[in-house]
mmCIF file of all heavy atoms in Angstrom:
data_model
loop_
_atom_site.group_PDB
_atom_site.id
_atom_site.type_symbol
_atom_site.label_atom_id
_atom_site.label_comp_id
_atom_site.label_asym_id
_atom_site.label_seq_id
_atom_site.Cartn_x
_atom_site.Cartn_y
_atom_site.Cartn_z
ATOM 1 N N VAL T 188 4.845 -7.917 13.996
ATOM 2 C CA VAL T 188 5.180 -8.791 12.831
ATOM 3 C C VAL T 188 4.054 -9.815 12.678
ATOM 4 O O VAL T 188 3.611 -10.174 11.576
ATOM 5 C CB VAL T 188 6.469 -9.551 13.222
ATOM 6 C CG1 VAL T 188 6.618 -10.859 12.410
ATOM 7 C CG2 VAL T 188 7.600 -8.638 13.133
ATOM 8 N N VAL T 189 3.424 -10.272 13.823
ATOM 9 C CA VAL T 189 2.393 -11.334 13.693
ATOM 10 C C VAL T 189 1.191 -10.882 12.922
ATOM 11 O O VAL T 189 0.815 -11.521 11.971
ATOM 12 C CB VAL T 189 2.001 -11.835 15.155
ATOM 13 C CG1 VAL T 189 0.844 -12.727 15.101
ATOM 14 C CG2 VAL T 189 3.128 -12.520 15.758
ATOM 15 N N PRO T 190 0.526 -9.727 13.210
ATOM 16 C CA PRO T 190 -0.698 -9.402 12.399
ATOM 17 C C PRO T 190 -0.212 -8.982 10.905
ATOM 18 O O PRO T 190 -0.981 -9.254 10.005
ATOM 19 C CB PRO T 190 -1.253 -8.234 13.057
ATOM 20 C CG PRO T 190 -0.276 -7.593 13.992
ATOM 21 C CD PRO T 190 0.582 -8.786 14.376
ATOM 22 N N LEU T 191 0.986 -8.406 10.716
ATOM 23 C CA LEU T 191 1.400 -8.231 9.395
ATOM 24 C C LEU T 191 1.585 -9.431 8.654
ATOM 25 O O LEU T 191 1.289 -9.517 7.455
ATOM 26 C CB LEU T 191 2.711 -7.356 9.389
ATOM 27 C CG LEU T 191 2.693 -5.949 9.673
ATOM 28 C CD1 LEU T 191 4.091 -5.346 9.629
ATOM 29 C CD2 LEU T 191 1.675 -5.262 8.666
ATOM 30 N N TYR T 192 2.262 -10.330 9.342
ATOM 31 C CA TYR T 192 2.486 -11.698 8.696
ATOM 32 C C TYR T 192 1.167 -12.262 8.179
ATOM 33 O O TYR T 192 1.135 -12.695 7.003
ATOM 34 C CB TYR T 192 3.240 -12.580 9.593
ATOM 35 C CG TYR T 192 3.125 -14.081 9.145
ATOM 36 C CD1 TYR T 192 4.131 -14.549 8.175
ATOM 37 C CD2 TYR T 192 2.226 -14.961 9.660
ATOM 38 C CE1 TYR T 192 4.012 -15.829 7.722
ATOM 39 C CE2 TYR T 192 2.240 -16.303 9.230
ATOM 40 C CZ TYR T 192 3.140 -16.670 8.255
ATOM 41 O OH TYR T 192 3.112 -17.909 7.760
ATOM 42 N N SER T 193 0.174 -12.336 9.075
ATOM 43 C CA SER T 193 -1.151 -13.100 8.750
ATOM 44 C C SER T 193 -1.777 -12.334 7.476
ATOM 45 O O SER T 193 -2.341 -12.971 6.722
ATOM 46 C CB SER T 193 -1.965 -13.256 9.880
ATOM 47 O OG SER T 193 -2.526 -12.014 10.296
ATOM 48 N N SER T 194 -1.682 -10.895 7.455
ATOM 49 C CA SER T 194 -2.302 -10.314 6.447
ATOM 50 C C SER T 194 -1.494 -10.424 5.126
ATOM 51 O O SER T 194 -2.068 -10.485 4.090
ATOM 52 C CB SER T 194 -2.678 -8.861 6.782
ATOM 53 O OG SER T 194 -1.438 -8.109 6.867
ATOM 54 N N LEU T 195 -0.225 -10.531 5.229
ATOM 55 C CA LEU T 195 0.574 -10.574 3.962
ATOM 56 C C LEU T 195 0.516 -12.033 3.407
ATOM 57 O O LEU T 195 0.562 -12.146 2.212
ATOM 58 C CB LEU T 195 2.103 -10.247 4.242
ATOM 59 C CG LEU T 195 2.278 -8.651 4.410
ATOM 60 C CD1 LEU T 195 3.801 -8.472 4.794
ATOM 61 C CD2 LEU T 195 1.898 -7.941 3.144
ATOM 62 N N GLU T 196 0.460 -13.035 4.356
ATOM 63 C CA GLU T 196 0.371 -14.349 4.012
ATOM 64 C C GLU T 196 -0.953 -14.565 3.074
ATOM 65 O O GLU T 196 -0.923 -15.332 2.198
ATOM 66 C CB GLU T 196 0.233 -15.175 5.268
ATOM 67 C CG GLU T 196 -0.167 -16.688 5.100
ATOM 68 C CD GLU T 196 0.954 -17.511 4.777
ATOM 69 O OE1 GLU T 196 1.835 -17.156 3.945
ATOM 70 O OE2 GLU T 196 0.992 -18.620 5.419
ATOM 71 N N SER T 197 -1.931 -13.924 3.508
ATOM 72 C CA SER T 197 -3.219 -14.063 2.700
ATOM 73 C C SER T 197 -3.311 -13.421 1.446
ATOM 74 O O SER T 197 -4.269 -13.570 0.639
ATOM 75 C CB SER T 197 -4.340 -13.708 3.641
ATOM 76 O OG SER T 197 -4.460 -12.300 3.726
ATOM 77 N N LEU T 198 -2.273 -12.626 1.161
ATOM 78 C CA LEU T 198 -2.121 -11.906 -0.197
ATOM 79 C C LEU T 198 -1.778 -12.922 -1.215
ATOM 80 O O LEU T 198 -0.712 -13.524 -1.176
ATOM 81 C CB LEU T 198 -1.173 -10.768 -0.140
ATOM 82 C CG LEU T 198 -1.038 -10.011 -1.414
ATOM 83 C CD1 LEU T 198 -2.187 -9.349 -1.913
ATOM 84 C CD2 LEU T 198 0.024 -8.973 -1.165
ATOM 85 N N ASP T 199 -2.723 -13.154 -2.300
ATOM 86 C CA ASP T 199 -2.407 -14.096 -3.388
ATOM 87 C C ASP T 199 -1.185 -13.513 -4.234
ATOM 88 O O ASP T 199 -1.061 -12.389 -4.679
ATOM 89 C CB ASP T 199 -3.564 -14.190 -4.295
ATOM 90 C CG ASP T 199 -3.508 -15.213 -5.297
ATOM 91 O OD1 ASP T 199 -2.341 -15.769 -5.317
ATOM 92 O OD2 ASP T 199 -4.396 -15.461 -5.933
ATOM 93 N N ASP T 200 -0.147 -14.376 -4.341
ATOM 94 C CA ASP T 200 1.049 -13.948 -5.020
ATOM 95 C C ASP T 200 0.652 -13.548 -6.487
ATOM 96 O O ASP T 200 1.353 -12.700 -7.025
ATOM 97 C CB ASP T 200 2.072 -15.216 -5.101
ATOM 98 C CG ASP T 200 2.799 -15.314 -3.866
ATOM 99 O OD1 ASP T 200 2.652 -14.507 -2.937
ATOM 100 O OD2 ASP T 200 3.562 -16.327 -3.758
ATOM 101 N N SER T 201 -0.343 -14.077 -6.996
ATOM 102 C CA SER T 201 -0.655 -13.774 -8.372
ATOM 103 C C SER T 201 -1.115 -12.360 -8.530
ATOM 104 O O SER T 201 -1.068 -11.797 -9.620
ATOM 105 C CB SER T 201 -1.659 -14.775 -9.079
ATOM 106 O OG SER T 201 -2.851 -14.634 -8.474
ATOM 107 N N LEU T 202 -1.656 -11.878 -7.422
ATOM 108 C CA LEU T 202 -2.054 -10.332 -7.383
ATOM 109 C C LEU T 202 -0.904 -9.511 -7.664
ATOM 110 O O LEU T 202 -0.812 -8.473 -8.433
ATOM 111 C CB LEU T 202 -2.840 -10.006 -6.163
ATOM 112 C CG LEU T 202 -4.181 -10.510 -6.016
ATOM 113 C CD1 LEU T 202 -4.821 -9.925 -4.709
ATOM 114 C CD2 LEU T 202 -5.088 -10.136 -7.163
ATOM 115 N N ILE T 203 0.215 -9.939 -6.962
ATOM 116 C CA ILE T 203 1.451 -9.102 -7.101
ATOM 117 C C ILE T 203 1.970 -9.140 -8.489
ATOM 118 O O ILE T 203 2.385 -8.338 -9.178
ATOM 119 C CB ILE T 203 2.449 -9.589 -6.028
ATOM 120 C CG1 ILE T 203 1.950 -9.429 -4.652
ATOM 121 C CG2 ILE T 203 3.831 -8.756 -6.190
ATOM 122 C CD1 ILE T 203 2.678 -10.158 -3.577
ATOM 123 N N GLU T 204 2.004 -10.503 -8.980
ATOM 124 C CA GLU T 204 2.455 -10.690 -10.307
ATOM 125 C C GLU T 204 1.683 -9.901 -11.317
ATOM 126 O O GLU T 204 2.157 -9.395 -12.293
ATOM 127 C CB GLU T 204 2.489 -12.179 -10.700
ATOM 128 C CG GLU T 204 3.639 -12.993 -9.956
ATOM 129 C CD GLU T 204 3.764 -14.408 -10.253
ATOM 130 O OE1 GLU T 204 2.847 -14.888 -10.852
ATOM 131 O OE2 GLU T 204 4.740 -15.074 -9.880
ATOM 132 N N ALA T 205 0.338 -10.065 -11.133
ATOM 133 C CA ALA T 205 -0.603 -9.370 -12.070
ATOM 134 C C ALA T 205 -0.172 -7.741 -12.114
ATOM 135 O O ALA T 205 -0.088 -7.310 -13.151
ATOM 136 C CB ALA T 205 -2.112 -9.601 -11.826
ATOM 137 N N ALA T 206 -0.073 -7.193 -10.970
ATOM 138 C CA ALA T 206 0.219 -5.778 -10.909
ATOM 139 C C ALA T 206 1.490 -5.485 -11.594
ATOM 140 O O ALA T 206 1.678 -4.594 -12.336
ATOM 141 C CB ALA T 206 0.244 -5.307 -9.427
ATOM 142 N N TYR T 207 2.503 -6.384 -11.368
ATOM 143 C CA TYR T 207 3.758 -6.158 -11.958
ATOM 144 C C TYR T 207 3.685 -6.363 -13.496
ATOM 145 O O TYR T 207 4.151 -5.583 -14.312
ATOM 146 C CB TYR T 207 4.767 -7.227 -11.384
ATOM 147 C CG TYR T 207 6.268 -6.935 -11.556
ATOM 148 C CD1 TYR T 207 6.783 -5.720 -11.452
ATOM 149 C CD2 TYR T 207 7.100 -8.017 -11.795
ATOM 150 C CE1 TYR T 207 8.102 -5.427 -11.511
ATOM 151 C CE2 TYR T 207 8.454 -7.778 -11.783
ATOM 152 C CZ TYR T 207 8.866 -6.500 -11.713
ATOM 153 O OH TYR T 207 10.200 -6.294 -11.813
ATOM 154 N N ASP T 208 2.974 -7.340 -13.943
ATOM 155 C CA ASP T 208 2.704 -7.659 -15.309
ATOM 156 C C ASP T 208 2.045 -6.558 -16.143
ATOM 157 O O ASP T 208 2.358 -6.231 -17.297
ATOM 158 C CB ASP T 208 1.830 -8.867 -15.502
ATOM 159 C CG ASP T 208 1.709 -9.451 -16.850
ATOM 160 O OD1 ASP T 208 2.629 -9.735 -17.485
ATOM 161 O OD2 ASP T 208 0.470 -9.301 -17.388
ATOM 162 N N LEU T 209 1.121 -5.843 -15.354
ATOM 163 C CA LEU T 209 0.362 -4.723 -15.993
ATOM 164 C C LEU T 209 1.196 -3.423 -15.924
ATOM 165 O O LEU T 209 0.601 -2.380 -16.333
ATOM 166 C CB LEU T 209 -0.943 -4.462 -15.237
ATOM 167 C CG LEU T 209 -2.001 -5.632 -15.458
ATOM 168 C CD1 LEU T 209 -3.191 -5.537 -14.428
ATOM 169 C CD2 LEU T 209 -2.510 -5.520 -16.886
ATOM 170 N N GLY T 210 2.435 -3.452 -15.560
ATOM 171 C CA GLY T 210 3.310 -2.349 -15.683
ATOM 172 C C GLY T 210 3.652 -1.724 -14.459
ATOM 173 O O GLY T 210 4.374 -0.609 -14.394
ATOM 174 N N GLY T 211 3.276 -2.357 -13.259
ATOM 175 C CA GLY T 211 3.501 -1.521 -12.036
ATOM 176 C C GLY T 211 5.052 -1.858 -11.611
ATOM 177 O O GLY T 211 5.634 -2.746 -12.013
ATOM 178 N N SER T 212 5.663 -0.817 -11.046
ATOM 179 C CA SER T 212 6.933 -0.932 -10.415
ATOM 180 C C SER T 212 6.909 -1.398 -8.997
ATOM 181 O O SER T 212 5.710 -1.533 -8.427
ATOM 182 C CB SER T 212 7.733 0.471 -10.502
ATOM 183 O OG SER T 212 7.013 1.342 -9.661
ATOM 184 N N GLY T 213 8.002 -1.788 -8.465
ATOM 185 C CA GLY T 213 8.052 -2.265 -6.976
ATOM 186 C C GLY T 213 7.268 -1.423 -6.137
ATOM 187 O O GLY T 213 6.399 -1.765 -5.393
ATOM 188 N N TRP T 214 7.574 -0.072 -6.204
ATOM 189 C CA TRP T 214 6.911 0.909 -5.294
ATOM 190 C C TRP T 214 5.355 0.912 -5.627
ATOM 191 O O TRP T 214 4.603 0.979 -4.631
ATOM 192 C CB TRP T 214 7.576 2.137 -5.523
ATOM 193 C CG TRP T 214 6.812 3.357 -4.838
ATOM 194 C CD1 TRP T 214 6.238 4.459 -5.507
ATOM 195 C CD2 TRP T 214 6.493 3.453 -3.561
ATOM 196 N NE1 TRP T 214 5.623 5.223 -4.723
ATOM 197 C CE2 TRP T 214 5.658 4.727 -3.396
ATOM 198 C CE3 TRP T 214 6.625 2.809 -2.336
ATOM 199 C CZ2 TRP T 214 5.071 5.210 -2.207
ATOM 200 C CZ3 TRP T 214 6.009 3.237 -1.206
ATOM 201 C CH2 TRP T 214 5.288 4.370 -1.097
ATOM 202 N N THR T 215 5.003 1.060 -6.825
ATOM 203 C CA THR T 215 3.563 1.166 -7.132
ATOM 204 C C THR T 215 2.806 -0.148 -6.770
ATOM 205 O O THR T 215 1.553 0.016 -6.270
ATOM 206 C CB THR T 215 3.202 1.604 -8.590
ATOM 207 O OG1 THR T 215 3.811 0.671 -9.434
ATOM 208 C CG2 THR T 215 3.691 2.978 -8.935
ATOM 209 N N VAL T 216 3.457 -1.283 -6.923
ATOM 210 C CA VAL T 216 2.650 -2.481 -6.505
ATOM 211 C C VAL T 216 2.561 -2.432 -4.984
ATOM 212 O O VAL T 216 1.399 -2.789 -4.503
ATOM 213 C CB VAL T 216 3.546 -3.642 -7.020
ATOM 214 C CG1 VAL T 216 2.953 -4.920 -6.511
ATOM 215 C CG2 VAL T 216 3.583 -3.801 -8.447
ATOM 216 N N LEU T 217 3.545 -1.949 -4.300
ATOM 217 C CA LEU T 217 3.404 -1.914 -2.792
ATOM 218 C C LEU T 217 2.311 -0.929 -2.410
ATOM 219 O O LEU T 217 1.456 -1.366 -1.566
ATOM 220 C CB LEU T 217 4.772 -1.448 -2.196
ATOM 221 C CG LEU T 217 4.877 -1.415 -0.653
ATOM 222 C CD1 LEU T 217 4.869 -2.804 -0.177
ATOM 223 C CD2 LEU T 217 5.981 -0.466 -0.198
ATOM 224 N N ARG T 218 2.241 0.178 -3.068
ATOM 225 C CA ARG T 218 1.308 1.207 -2.764
ATOM 226 C C ARG T 218 -0.185 0.788 -3.132
ATOM 227 O O ARG T 218 -1.178 1.007 -2.397
ATOM 228 C CB ARG T 218 1.697 2.539 -3.374
ATOM 229 C CG ARG T 218 0.836 3.660 -3.043
ATOM 230 C CD ARG T 218 1.475 4.995 -3.545
ATOM 231 N NE ARG T 218 1.693 4.923 -4.995
ATOM 232 C CZ ARG T 218 0.683 5.173 -5.932
ATOM 233 N NH1 ARG T 218 -0.489 5.396 -5.496
ATOM 234 N NH2 ARG T 218 0.973 5.110 -7.202
#
Side-chain angles (χ1 to χ4, degrees):
Chain T
V188 168
V189 171
L191 278 183
Y192 166 78
S193 71
S194 66
L195 289 176
E196 164 90 314
S197 68
L198 174 62
D199 187 354
D200 286 352
S201 68
L202 287 183
I203 303 168
E204 286 183 348
Y207 201 35
D208 182 67
L209 292 167
S212 62
W214 163 245
T215 52
V216 173
L217 183 72
R218 185 171 56 80

